[in-house]
């Protein structure tokens, strides 16, 4: 024993049990001849609920033995106590022993061992359950008890107060849809996805005006914006044609819902789209000048060309006669240079997304496509990956929070 009070407690509990009919199978007495605080290891049977030994802590080498009919009864009886510091399960079947141990309400449970295995696992948290104490020692949990947790939340996408023109109930419904969509996107992908949604969906649905059943042509179908636009087109029941530079990317586009697959290295997208659909009602283009004239040729009557990138140049001649003949429209748009608020601002675009496109994300009709996630410290590895032509969707640079 560690002190006289513990020795007195053990002696009193055992004496009370014996006086009320319990049987001592081994030990049962103090041994001052061996040391001032020595008490023999003691085993008893017949301990009943009216005895203090039954459900009080002894902090001594005392064990009471109880019979049981099956494993469920044994677990129920083991958990029928206010305490839960340490427990042991003894069995010849290790798998069953671990299963039983997981159901015992104690901070540490050892299989075929009294306590050394758990106490020797210094990286594992130690502590009790119930009245045996709160908190943990050892491992990360032991270190964290000396820290103070703080939450700093930065709202960057939408506010929780209803904006002008929204009733409280309408704004609550909008928030429900948006938050469901953000949950589907995943915490570390939300800001990337908002940018893709803003560019891609505005080009396809808002600026391009794609409606159910109309034909959509997406250039760069394997890009982050392209993979998103394919899914939006599919959700609107629009036939989707895509261009990409490899069969691998085209196959992935087909998996996302693209109907017509065009390898721009070998195929003429103008001829294919015109032959199959009579032209595209909406074209989402990331190439710019190099594709301008052919895009106009590929448009159907009353078609809309939306340019969101200039990968193949910024200056080109435009055949206004052909646009006039087709009653077509050409739009060039971006997101970065917009004001935060006001007409045509980022806030206005986000409001449109909430209403028209976020429900598709909340329903799971549109989901993120991420080819790889690379720590920002390994950014040099991202460039060869992008140049390989084997990426579909986004390559994300992840930043580990300090």
């Amino acid at each position: 024993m560690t002190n006289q009070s513990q020795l007195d407690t053990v002696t009193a509990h055992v004496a009370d049990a014996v006086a009320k009919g319990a049987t001592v199978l081994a030990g049962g007495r103090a041994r001052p001849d061996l040391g001032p605080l020595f008490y023999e290891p003691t085993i008893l049977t017949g301990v009943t609920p009216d005895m203090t030994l039954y459900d009080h802590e002894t902090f001594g080498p005392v064990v009471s033995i109880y019979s049981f009919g099956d494993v469920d009864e044994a677990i129920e009886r083991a958990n029928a106590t206010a305490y839960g510091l340490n427990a042991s399960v003894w069995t010849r079947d290790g798998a069953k022993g671990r299963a039983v141990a997981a159901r015992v309400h104690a901070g540490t449970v050892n299989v075929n061992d009294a306590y050394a295995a758990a106490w020797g696992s210094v990286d594992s948290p130690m502590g009790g359950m119930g009245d045996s104490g709160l908190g943990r020692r050892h491992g990360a949990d032991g270190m964290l008890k000396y820290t103070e947790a703080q939450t700093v939340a930065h709202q960057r996408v939408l506010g929780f107060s209803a904006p002008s023109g929204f009733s409280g109930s309408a704004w609550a419904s909008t928030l429900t849809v948006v938050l469901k969509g953000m949950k589907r996107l995943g915490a570390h992908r939300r800001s990337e996805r908002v940018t893709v949604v803003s560019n891609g969906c505005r080009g396809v649905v808002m600026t391009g005006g794609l409606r159910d059943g109309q034909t959509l042509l997406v250039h760069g179908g394997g890009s982050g914006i392209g993979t998103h636009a394919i899914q939006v087109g599919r959700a609107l029941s629009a036939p989707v044609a895509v261009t990409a530079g490899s069969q691998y990317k085209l196959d992935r586009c087909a998996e996302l819902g693209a109907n017509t697959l065009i390898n721009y290295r070998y195929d003429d997208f103008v001829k294919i789209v015109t032959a199959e659909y009579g032209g595209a009602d909406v074209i989402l283009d990331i190439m710019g000048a190099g594709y301008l004239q052919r895009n106009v040729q590929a448009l159907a009557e009353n078609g809309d060309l939306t340019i969101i990138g200039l990968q193949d140049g910024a200056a080109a001649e435009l055949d206004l006669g052909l646009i006039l003949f087709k009653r077509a429209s050409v739009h060039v748009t971006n997101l970065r240079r917009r004001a935060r608020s006001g007409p045509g601002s980022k806030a206005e675009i986000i409001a449109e997304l909430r209403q028209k496109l976020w429900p598709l994300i909340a329903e799971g009709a549109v989901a993120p496509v991420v080819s790889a996630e690379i720590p920002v410290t390994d950014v040099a590895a991202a460039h060869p990956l992008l140049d390989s032509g084997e990426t579909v969707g986004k390559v994300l640079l992840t930043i580990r929070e300090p």
Side-chain angles (χ1 to χ4, degrees):
M1 311 298 294
T2 59
N3 57 55
Q4 186 63 47
S5 176
Q6 288 186 4
L7 177 61
D8 293 342
T9 298
V10 171
T11 302
H13 285 341
V14 173
D16 173 74
V18 171
K20 293 178 179 178
T23 300
V24 177
L25 300 182
R29 61 194 179 99
R31 292 291 301 274
D33 56 312
L34 299 177
L37 300 176
F38 192 91
Y39 195 91
E40 289 180 334
T42 301
I43 301 175
L44 301 95
T45 59
V47 176
T48 55
D50 62 320
M51 304 174 187
T52 56
L53 191 64
Y54 183 82
D55 57 4
H56 285 70
E57 291 179 315
T58 63
F59 289 106
V62 179
V63 173
S64 302
I65 296 177
Y66 308 89
S67 59
F68 59 90
D70 55 29
V71 170
D72 289 337
E73 182 187 351
I75 294 172
E76 181 180 359
R77 298 191 66 174
N79 291 337
T81 172
Y83 303 107
L85 181 59
N86 182 70
S88 298
V89 177
W90 300 83
T91 176
R92 291 186 177 89
D93 189 328
K96 288 185 178 180
R98 291 189 295 274
V100 170
R103 298 170 61 188
V104 176
H105 298 165
T108 56
V109 186
N110 301 267
V111 178
N112 295 340
D113 179 78
Y115 65 88
W119 281 66
S121 303
V122 294
D123 281 343
S124 299
M126 300 287 298
M129 293 184 178
D131 290 348
S132 291
L134 300 175
R136 293 293 183 266
R137 59 185 181 274
H138 291 185
D141 293 85
M143 295 297 295
L144 288 174
K145 74 176 182 179
Y146 297 105
T147 67
E148 289 185 331
Q150 180 188 43
T151 298
V152 176
H154 178 187
Q155 180 52 261
R156 294 176 295 178
V157 179
L158 71 164
F160 289 94
S161 299
S164 176
F166 272 85
S167 67
S169 59
W171 186 240
S173 299
T174 299
L175 282 179
T176 299
V177 172
V178 172
L179 292 175
K180 283 182 178 180
M182 294 179 74
K183 182 177 180 181
R184 282 185 176 274
L185 296 182
H188 66 298
R189 297 180 179 176
R190 287 171 193 158
S191 61
E192 168 267 335
R193 202 57 187 170
V194 167
T195 301
V196 170
V197 171
S198 300
N199 282 314
C201 283
R202 183 172 176 81
V204 172
V205 178
M206 299 172 191
T207 304
L210 184 70
R211 297 186 297 276
D212 286 4
Q214 289 190 322
T215 300
L216 170 65
L217 169 61
V218 179
H219 291 300
S223 66
I225 291 174
T227 54
H228 184 86
I230 293 169
Q231 295 177 75
V232 173
R234 179 191 60 191
L236 295 176
S237 301
V240 180
V242 297
T243 63
S246 72
Q247 190 60 47
Y248 170 74
K249 290 190 175 187
L250 291 173
D251 289 343
R252 291 296 307 278
C253 291
E255 293 172 4
L256 293 171
N259 307 96
T260 301
L261 311 175
I262 304 167
N263 189 322
Y264 65 78
R265 299 183 188 277
Y266 312 110
D267 302 323
D268 185 337
F269 69 84
V270 177
K271 291 182 179 180
I272 294 175
V273 172
T274 302
E276 291 195 22
Y277 306 107
D281 297 295
V282 176
I283 299 177
L284 183 65
D285 177 57
I286 60 174
M287 302 306 293
Y291 275 34
L292 180 59
Q293 187 62 27
R294 286 186 291 164
N295 276 331
V296 173
Q297 293 171 355
L299 281 173
E301 289 190 4
N302 300 305
D304 192 289
L305 166 62
T306 300
I307 302 170
I308 60 172
L310 303 173
Q311 294 184 20
D312 199 19
E317 291 188 2
L318 182 59
D319 187 345
L320 295 177
L322 183 57
I323 294 177
L324 182 64
F325 176 77
K326 293 187 174 185
R327 298 181 300 279
S329 300
V330 177
H331 302 273
V332 181
T333 183
N334 66 16
L335 181 67
R336 293 181 182 177
R337 295 179 57 83
R338 294 177 183 270
R340 292 175 61 88
S341 59
S345 65
K346 294 177 182 178
E348 187 179 77
I349 292 174
I350 293 300
E352 287 182 286
L353 293 176
R354 293 173 188 157
Q355 178 184 359
K356 298 181 180 180
L357 298 162
W358 222 262
L360 298 178
I361 298 172
E363 296 166 4
V366 177
V369 177
V370 176
S371 181
E373 298 179 24
I374 299 176
V376 70
T377 51
D378 297 330
V379 64
H383 292 286
L385 183 59
L386 289 170
D387 292 339
S388 70
E390 296 303 314
T391 59
V392 173
K394 283 287 187 181
V395 174
L396 298 185
L397 295 179
T398 59
I399 300 175
R400 183 175 180 179
E401 296 291 344

